[in-house]
Each structure stands twice: as structure tokens, then as C-alpha cells.
């Protein structure tokens, strides 16, 4: 290990392993603290770094038509260890990037162990790092050990660290049928900067509402893991299917209450309503307010498309409820993933409020690069917002609404739309490939500029 001060990384999962690799490759020493096997989590089964706790898939590998495929392509161009390990251990899975999980984790671990600049310590970090750890990346994931989680919660303040997620589905704004919905806030109330018409409203008549409630009651639910059952969240934010089971009117008294709203298409107050609220600063994404759910994804799509105005909705993210540890990143972090109140601390991975193996590793990659530039007295600008890496980073460090912040997958709705007029009826199918090509070209420019700045 070099005599230079190391960057300390806490957690050797997807994000921590990727960050360590990026730092070492940039010539910066790393001390990686991983608690397994001394202490494990409820989901991990092995002592390997970068263990995949559930599925063995990194999802679609189609860079031109799928946002996570685009993220793969960008990460490969940034010499990602996680993508290198995935490619080396790839299994047949159609258009998806699926891996042999033991081969994958073994590859990552061997690569990090072989790096002379990386030291791996198997120990739990139980408190916020001491002051002499000048640069730290916290990448302890959705199941951060309790003592450290408690210390983070105390440092970040009440409500800034969540122990579970309650994810409502999000739709692409341009897939909502504007002819059926209307914009209005309840009682036309205006928020600061709003105009009394902040919400998109979908009206349901009595028959539509009753059918909707019946569909929720009949649908397949995803069971909680045993170790999730004691998580104290269910009373505060019940899944909509649980509300539907409590009684025929429970939803109409809850998130679907129609008070303070008039449907301009009928001139009357609707029987029930689904409200959608803007989810990102770009205004490309809207969430279904209060619609956290544990329904199976296929059932969510089928049932939510019965809501008038959402018949052709394209979902950027579907709902979920899980035990999950994540901070309110848009409020707490600066654009280089540092805690504003204690800039020696960076966060990376799922704890920053991204969702998924690939997204967690992507934020690890960026945290590693930011920390490496800092250690070398250089500065690194964030990747452009038009790239998947830049869009994901921008969402969690500013683009997302701090009040309703919930974990997010990469999706094309996070990227700025193409210039007006680029997409017409005739070339609609080209929208994603055009955004992807723009992303890859902009990423190359960013990489070139970063290389020049480092020289
Ligand atoms: C049960 C479950 C299933 C999931 N399934 C999927 C899925 O199928 N597909 C998907 O894309 N995503 C899934 N996720 C979400 C998420 O993408 C993964 O959890 C991913 O591993 C997150 O990467 P990470 O590096 O942020 O955290 P992790 O990979 O969990 O790594 C964090 C590491 O930090 C260590 N650690 C924790 N606390 C401390 C401490 N105090 N000191 C030292 N070390 C510590 C842990 O042992 C762990 O190795 C799942 C999450 C959970 C909880």
C-alpha cells in the first residue's frame, strides 16, 4: 500500500467494489472495509465482495432501446469492473445480461485482491468515520448494519434517512392521455412556485372505481421476506391493495378522495380520483400520489392502465415496498456525492436512493472517480445530463423532489428530451435510439475533457 492517505470505502458490495476499482486504476490507494463474514446481512449468503443478493440479471443489455442497457454501455466505456466481471461470466439470457453469480463475485473479488493499491479489511464500521479519515465513501447498501445506520441518521437529521421504501409507480408524462385528464390542485391551492394546477387528475366514475377496487383485491401480491415483516412501516404508508381490502370506500377516503376537485369535462366533482404529481425537475415524469404497492409488476401495469387517462401509460418505474436504507440525497448531497454538511463523506450505491445492481454500481463508479480526482488535487465535472450516468446522478443530487424522494431506476424519462420537433409521428420508434446515440457521443466528449483535465 502506498504511503499516500487512502480513501476509505465502507461496504464491498456492487458500489463499493466499483468505487475501489476506479480509485486504484486512477493511482489512488484504497482501504476497503467489508463486514462480511464477520457480520452478515439478512440477504447476503456468502463472504464474497459484490454478492448478488437476489436475481442474477443486470437486465436488458440493449444500449439503444433500453436505459439500463445504455448505462451498461456507458459503464463499459468508463472501464467498469462490475461490467467487466458481468461480461466475463455471462450466461445465455436473450437480450438480458445475466451472469453466473459465483463466477461474477469471484471475478470482482480476485480483481480487487490483485490490485496493489487496495487493502481489504473484513470488519464492521460501527460509527461515523474518525476525523483522520480524510476521504470516505459510504457504500453500505440497502441493509446497512444498524449501528452505522443509526450514526448516519443522527448526523443527517430527522427523516433524512429511511429504513424502508414505499415506491409509487411513475409514468412518462408524454404517455398520459391529455384529452381525458385535467390539471388542478385540491381547492386550487398553490405551492410556492406553483400555479394552483400542480396535479394531473384522472377521474373515475362509480363503476370504474368499484371495478378498480375489485381488481386490486383479486390481484397477486408479492410476499414480504421474513426479515422484512417487523419493519415498522405498514401503518404509516399502507399499500393500496391493503387499503382496498379494508373496505370499499377506504381508498375514496384516502389517496383517491375527490374533494376540492372539479372535472372540467363534466363540470362535477368526480366519484374518485387518481392524482399524479411531477416527479423530476424536467417535468418528464409523474408519480401516482399515495399509490405505493406490492402488487406484481404485470398486475400493476394491467390494473393502472384501467384508470381513465392512463390507458396507454408507459411506466418509468413500478411500485414496491421493501426494507431499504437510503438517504434523502437531493437534500443532503452535493453534485459530487459529498455530504454537504460533512464533505469528507461521500455516499455511493443503493444508500443514495438509486435502485438496482447496475444503478448502484454506476453511482459507485462516479463516487470513485470524484474521490480520485479530489485526492489528486484535480476536479472532475459531472457527466452531462444527456448521458445515463449524468441523468441518474443529476436526479439523486438535485433533479428529484426532496419531499417525495424514493429510490429510482435509470429510465429515459430522467434524460432531457430531444429538441422539439426532432420526433414526429413518422419516427416515433427512433426516440430512444436517438437519445442513446446522443448520450454515447456526449459521454465520449466528457471522457475526453476529463482525461485532459487529469493530465
Ligand atoms: C433482498 C434484496 C433483493 C434485491 N434484489 C435485487 C435484484 O434482484 N436486482 C437488482 O438489480 N437489485 C436488487 N436489489 C437492490 C440492490 O440493487 C442491491 O441490494 C445492490 O446489491 C445494492 O448495491 P450496494 O453496493 O449499494 O449494496 P450491497 O451490494 O448490499 O453492498 C453493501 C455492502 O456493505 C456491507 N456493509 C453494510 N454495513 C456495513 C458496515 N457497517 N461496515 C462494513 N460493511 C458494511 C454489506 O455487507 C455489503 O457487502 C435487492 C436488494 C435487496 C435488499
Amino acid at each position: 500500500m502506498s504511503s499516500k492517505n487512502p480513501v476509505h470505502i465502507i461496504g464491498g458490495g456492487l458500489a463499493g467494489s466499483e468505487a475501489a476499482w476506479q480509485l486504484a486504476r486512477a493511482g489512488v490507494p484504497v482501504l476497503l472495509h467489508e463486514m462480511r463474514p464477520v457480520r452478515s446481512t439478512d440477504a447476503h449468503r456468502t463472504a464474497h465482495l459484490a454478492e448478488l443478493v437476489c436475481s442474477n440479471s443486470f437486465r436488458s443489455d440493449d444500449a439503444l432501446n433500453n436505459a439500463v442497457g445504455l448505462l451498461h454501455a456507458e459503464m463499459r466505456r468508463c472501464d467498469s469492473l462490475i461490467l467487466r466481471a458481468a461480461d466475463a461470466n455471462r450466461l445465455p439470457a436473450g437480450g438480458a445480461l445475466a451472469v453466473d453469480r459465483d463466477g461474477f463475485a469471484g471475478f470482482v473479488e480476485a480483481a480487487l485482491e490483485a490490485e496493489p493499491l487496495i487493502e481489504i479489511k473484513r470488519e464492521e464500521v460501527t460509527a461515523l468515520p474518525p476525523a483522520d479519515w480524510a476521504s470516505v465513501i459510504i457504500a453500505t447498501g440497502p441493509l446497512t448494519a444498524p449501528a452505522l445506520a443509526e450514526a448516519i441518521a443522527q448526523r443527517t437529521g430527522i427523516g433524512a434517512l429511511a429504513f424502508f421504501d414505499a415506491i409509487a409507480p411513475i409514468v412518462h408524462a408524454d404517455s398520459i392521455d391529455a384529452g381525458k385528464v385535467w390539471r388542478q390542485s385540491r381547492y386550487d391551492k398553490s405551492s410556492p412556485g406553483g400555479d394552483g394546477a400542480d396535479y394531473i387528475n384522472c377521474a373515475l366514475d362509480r363503476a370504474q372505481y368499484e371495478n378498480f377496487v375489485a381488481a386490486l383485491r383479486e390481484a397477486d401480491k408479492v410476499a414480504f421476506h421474513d426479515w422484512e415483516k417487523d419493519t415498522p412501516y405498514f401503518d404509516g404508508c399502507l399499500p393500496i391493495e391493503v387499503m382496498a381490502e379494508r373496505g370499499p370506500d377506504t381508498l375514496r377516503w384516502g389517496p383517491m378522495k375527490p374533494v376540492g376537485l372539479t372535472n372540467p369535462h363534466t363540470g362535477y366533482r368526480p366519484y374518485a380520483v387518481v392524482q399524479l404529481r411531477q416527479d423530476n425537475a424536467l417535468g418528464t415524469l409523474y408519480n401516482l400520489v399515495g399509490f405505493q404497492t406490492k402488487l406484481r409488476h404485470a398486475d400493476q401495469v394491467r390494473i393502472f392502465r384501467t384508470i381513465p387517462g392512463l390507458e396507454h401509460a408507459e411506466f418509468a418505474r413500478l411500485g414496491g415496498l421493501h426494507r431499504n436504507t437510503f438517504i434523502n440525497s437531493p437534500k443532503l448531497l452535493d453534485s459530487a456525492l459529498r455530504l454537504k454538511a460533512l464533505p469528507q463523506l461521500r455516499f455511493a450505491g443503493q444508500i443514495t436512493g438509486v435502485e438496482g445492481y447496475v444503478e448502484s454500481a454506476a453511482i459507485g463508479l462516479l463516487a470513485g472517480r470524484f474521490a480520485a480526482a479530489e485526492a489528486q488535487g484535480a476536479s472532475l465535472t459531472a457527466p452531462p445530463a444527456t448521458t445515463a450516468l449524468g441523468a441518474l446522478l443529476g436526479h439523486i443530487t438535485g433533479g428529484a423532489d426532496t419531499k417525495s424522494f424514493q429510490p429510482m431506476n435509470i429510465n429515459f424519462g430522467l434524460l432531457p428530451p430531444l429538441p422539439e420537433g426532432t420526433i414526429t409521428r413518422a419516427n416515433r420508434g427512433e426516440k430512444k435510439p436517438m437519445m442513446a446515440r446522443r448520450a454515447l457521443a456526449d459521454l465520449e466528449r466528457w471522457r475526453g475533457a476529463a482525461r485532459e483535465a487529469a493530465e
Side-chain angles (χ1 to χ4, degrees), residues 176-177 180-182 200-205 208-209 212 272 274 276 303-312:
I176 301 170
D177 185 343
K180 292 197 176 160
V181 300
W182 77 102
I200 293 178
N201 299 285
C202 306
L204 287 85
D205 63 25
Q208 288 165 333
Y209 174 78
F212 182 75
V274 176
L276 293 98
I303 296 172
F304 297 147
R305 282 192 180 150
T306 66
I307 297 168
L310 301 188
E311 292 88 345
H312 305 291

Side-chain angles (χ1 to χ4, degrees), residues 11 13-15 34-36 44 54-55 125 139-142 145 349-350 356-357 360:
L14 278 297
E34 167 53 53
M35 67 177 184
R36 289 175 295 116
H44 289 86
C54 187
S55 151
V125 175
T140 44
Q350 181 117 345
Y357 299 148
S360 297

